[in-house]
Amino acid sequence: MTTAPQRPKRRWRAALAGVAALTVALTGCAGGTPASTSGERPLVIARAMDLTTLDPQRGYCDTCQIIYTALYERLVTVDPADTSTVLPGLAESWEANEDNTQFTFALDADAVFSDGSPVESTDVKWSFERLVNLQGSASFLLAGMTGIETPDASTVVVTFEKPNSAFLAITAAPYLGIVNSEVAEENGASAAEDAASTDDAEGWFLENSAGSGPYTLADYSAGESVELTANDEYWGAAPAFTDVEMKEVTDSSSQLQQLQQGDVDVAMQISPDALAQLEGDEAVTTEVVDSYNYTYIALLPAAPGGEPLEDVRVREAIRMAVDYDGLVDTLVAGYGKLQGSPIPNGFEGSEEVALPSYDLDGAKALLAEAGYADGFTVSATYPKLVAYGVDLDLQMQAVQQDLAEIGVTLELNPVDFTQWIDTVSGDGTPVTAVYFAPDHTDSSQYVQYFGNIDQGGLINPWTGSVSQEQTDLLAQALAESGDERVATYQALAESMAADAFVLPMVNPQLILAYASDISGVAYSPCCNLEIGQLGLTG
């Protein structure tokens, strides 16, 4: 048996008896804590939001990660100082069996939902089963789960068909937040096998929340804002801000202006070009940090119009025709890196993978070999937005110009995010462009979402094939640990790179820009930004 690392229990309610005791408890907190409380000052965050639902088991987006983390706690969380370390969340301890097919969690007896009722094992079972049975975009995270037992109110036993060494990391993903099952069912939610067709709670979740996180949902106005208010029943350290507003500010220049004017406290998508304008501004703090995020284009031959992309030589030619260094310079002013495969820089398996290189002559030769010496025309539908400082429209215009050099005409069709979701989940598009941020800290997610494996996330439905090699290597990685697992993930990264269905474009560094009296702003690989950790300095 392997046993989870332990830390002092979070009994912060009990710590109200003494400031000294509270200080000790907060030192052990996963993400630190605000230095002081806000009084009546609200926290205002500017962000271009990709939010389409507030149902934690239906959503799958960057903004979802932030909001869900504030509303719904998970069994465990990740230490931001060492992302390989898993820390207690709703579970105070856990253990895995020898082959990582069974995981047993002991819930913290102090954990309560926002209505004051205890978080129980049945809520965990219900939440996980609903995530699977809704068959949403994040359902793949629990692929291979064969059962959940609840021998008592505080014990949860999760079993997988095959070894799953990634499960603890997965459990920290915001999409595995635990919902108050009784409240949700009263409002139309279902975890039954037919939930995909019978669950009727998505509308209710747009106006309400039912979690145990530091905040509850106060209001949501699509395309305008999400408002949160502190959870009066929160069983952990009370959040510093009583009220939080995340407001829709779609472009970097507007976010910059509002941050400089003091209208917002945090601007989440400041472009690198704006950094120079903030130099010397003592009211604003900026940091440039490496990230695991990236933008990519996907080549999907099984979508209508994608026939030329069936030949891997064509896909490889497209990869070779893109001027990646030019993209980094143009799109993020040099604040970015190249990336060799869908497994991003910094994750297991990425270290030794060759980076893409610009080779027009090689690209033309490959197209000729594939029978497309005169090129072809293909369409690209993608969301018109800015992600991590990268304007996807500008990125695709640059790719369009690059591909024209080899005779490939790329017809651009930028749409809003909701239309893009409808397209990729409907008839499809032969070429698309979007972005990806990690859901958790294990490399398996990139194989499950971008690998050409059976029931893969985005790619497999549109490849027209299945890679048995990648399927077998993923199973092997999930049964391994240490250097063996790293080597297997590298083999997977190289295999996915060779397939060339997903071509990473830019791995941008992140610009953290916030009012200088705000503390706790940090990039989280599982949760993007943890609002509950933000506070005021001094």
Side-chain angles (χ1 to χ4, degrees):
M1 302 280 279
T2 55
T3 303
Q6 299 298 299
R7 66 170 185 158
K9 289 186 67 175
R10 290 197 309 180
R11 295 191 181 281
W12 295 331
R13 275 189 168 181
L16 290 174
V19 174
L22 179 61
T23 302
V24 171
L26 294 180
T27 301
C29 173
T33 191
S36 64
T37 57
S38 67
E40 298 302 317
R41 173 178 166 178
L43 176 72
V44 183
I45 301 170
R47 180 175 176 81
M49 292 188 279
D50 52 355
L51 200 63
T52 58
T53 178
L54 286 171
D55 186 329
Q57 282 125 13
R58 291 182 187 273
Y60 192 64
C61 67
D62 281 14
T63 307
C64 302
Q65 291 181 318
I66 301 169
I67 301 299
Y68 296 172
T69 298
L71 300 177
Y72 300 93
E73 291 184 302
R74 297 90 65 206
L75 293 180
V76 299
T77 187
V78 174
D79 185 349
D82 176 11
T83 56
S84 65
T85 299
V86 176
L87 295 176
L90 291 172
E92 62 180 1
S93 64
W94 57 90
E95 62 182 16
N97 65 359
E98 188 170 357
D99 64 357
N100 285 308
T101 56
Q102 189 171 83
F103 299 81
T104 301
F105 298 88
L107 301 181
D108 195 310
D110 287 346
V112 294
F113 288 113
S114 57
D115 66 355
S117 63
V119 178
E120 297 183 334
S121 57
T122 50
D123 298 300
V124 178
K125 174 181 170 65
W126 186 92
S127 298
F128 285 6
E129 290 180 343
R130 183 169 185 259
L131 177 63
V132 172
N133 291 330
L134 281 178
Q135 301 174 26
S137 297
S139 295
F140 76 92
L141 291 169
L142 290 178
M145 185 179 72
T146 55
I148 308 176
E149 298 175 23
T150 55
D152 58 54
S154 62
T155 305
V156 182
V157 183
V158 184
T159 303
F160 287 85
E161 178 183 9
K162 298 177 181 177
N164 187 0
S165 62
F167 183 57
L168 278 181
I170 292 171
T171 307
Y175 312 107
L176 273 71
I178 306 306
V179 174
N180 185 329
S181 59
E182 183 176 344
V183 170
E185 285 189 333
E186 288 174 353
N187 291 280
S190 172
E193 291 184 0
D194 61 354
S197 60
T198 61
D199 186 285
D200 191 30
E202 187 172 12
W204 183 82
F205 278 108
L206 291 175
E207 299 178 352
N208 305 274
S209 59
S212 63
Y215 288 96
T216 61
L217 179 66
D219 189 55
Y220 171 61
S221 179
E224 296 183 12
S225 66
V226 180
E227 296 180 22
L228 311 177
T229 191
N231 174 6
D232 292 337
E233 298 290 336
Y234 188 49
W235 62 290
F241 293 94
T242 301
D243 298 302
V244 176
E245 178 187 13
M246 179 176 287
K247 59 188 295 187
E248 180 79 47
V249 184
T250 55
D251 63 276
S252 170
S253 58
S254 296
Q255 290 190 14
L256 172 66
Q257 182 181 32
Q258 293 188 30
L259 181 63
Q260 290 176 311
Q261 293 174 341
D263 295 333
V264 304
D265 298 295
V266 181
M268 295 202 68
Q269 290 130 324
I270 291 289
S271 73
D273 292 336
L275 275 176
Q277 300 179 56
L278 292 171
E279 286 183 5
D281 188 339
E282 295 183 355
V284 176
T285 296
T286 58
E287 300 176 62
V288 179
V289 299
D290 288 342
S291 82
Y292 305 114
N293 307 331
Y294 61 93
T295 62
Y296 64 90
I297 63 172
L299 308 177
L300 306 172
E307 292 78 7
L309 305 174
E310 292 174 356
D311 193 318
V312 68
R313 293 172 295 185
V314 173
R315 302 195 297 272
E316 179 62 25
I318 290 174
R319 180 191 353 237
M320 296 166 69
V322 175
D323 178 5
Y324 297 92
D325 290 320
L327 288 180
V328 170
D329 290 339
T330 303
L331 299 176
V332 293
Y335 290 97
K337 300 178 179 178
L338 306 191
Q339 181 175 314
S341 88
I343 295 180
N345 302 322
F347 268 69
E348 287 185 345
S350 66
E351 292 83 356
E352 303 297 329
V353 177
L355 297 177
S357 57
Y358 181 51
D359 182 357
L360 272 183
D361 291 338
K364 291 175 180 175
L366 277 178
L367 276 188
E369 280 184 26
Y372 290 101
D374 296 327
F376 58 88
T377 298
V378 66
S379 66
T381 298
Y382 56 93
K384 185 176 174 61
L385 50 76
V386 177
Y388 325 126
V390 178
D391 186 322
L392 288 186
D393 210 17
L394 294 180
Q395 172 186 290
M396 294 306 288
Q397 290 172 27
V399 171
Q400 182 187 51
Q401 293 175 5
D402 287 343
L403 297 190
E405 295 292 325
I406 60 171
V408 174
T409 301
L410 190 62
E411 297 179 335
L412 303 184
N413 181 32
V415 297
D416 67 35
F417 193 79
T418 302
Q419 286 179 280
W420 177 77
I421 290 287
D422 290 342
T423 298
V424 296
S425 60
D427 293 337
T429 174
V431 179
T432 191
V434 70
Y435 57 87
F436 198 85
D439 300 320
H440 53 79
T441 54
D442 192 272
S443 295
S444 58
Q445 65 192 296
Y446 300 101
V447 187
Q448 292 166 330
Y449 199 66
F450 294 121
N452 190 20
I453 62 174
D454 190 25
Q455 299 181 357
L458 174 68
I459 301 304
N460 178 255
W462 303 107
T463 61
S465 62
V466 172
S467 168
Q468 191 59 49
E469 177 195 35
Q470 291 175 18
T471 302
D472 293 344
L473 284 173
L474 176 60
Q476 180 180 325
L478 293 173
E480 294 175 330
S481 60
D483 292 342
E484 289 183 340
R485 186 171 66 178
V486 172
T488 302
Y489 277 132
Q490 180 175 330
L492 277 161
E494 290 170 344
S495 179
M496 289 191 290
D499 273 350
F501 289 120
V502 174
L503 309 181
M505 295 286 107
V506 180
N507 168 214
Q509 292 174 294
L510 284 184
I511 310 298
L512 304 180
Y514 50 95
S516 295
D517 62 348
I518 299 294
S519 64
V521 179
Y523 167 60
S524 166
C526 73
C527 311
N528 204 318
L529 175 70
E530 297 201 43
I531 295 175
Q533 299 297 330
L534 303 187
L536 289 171
T537 58

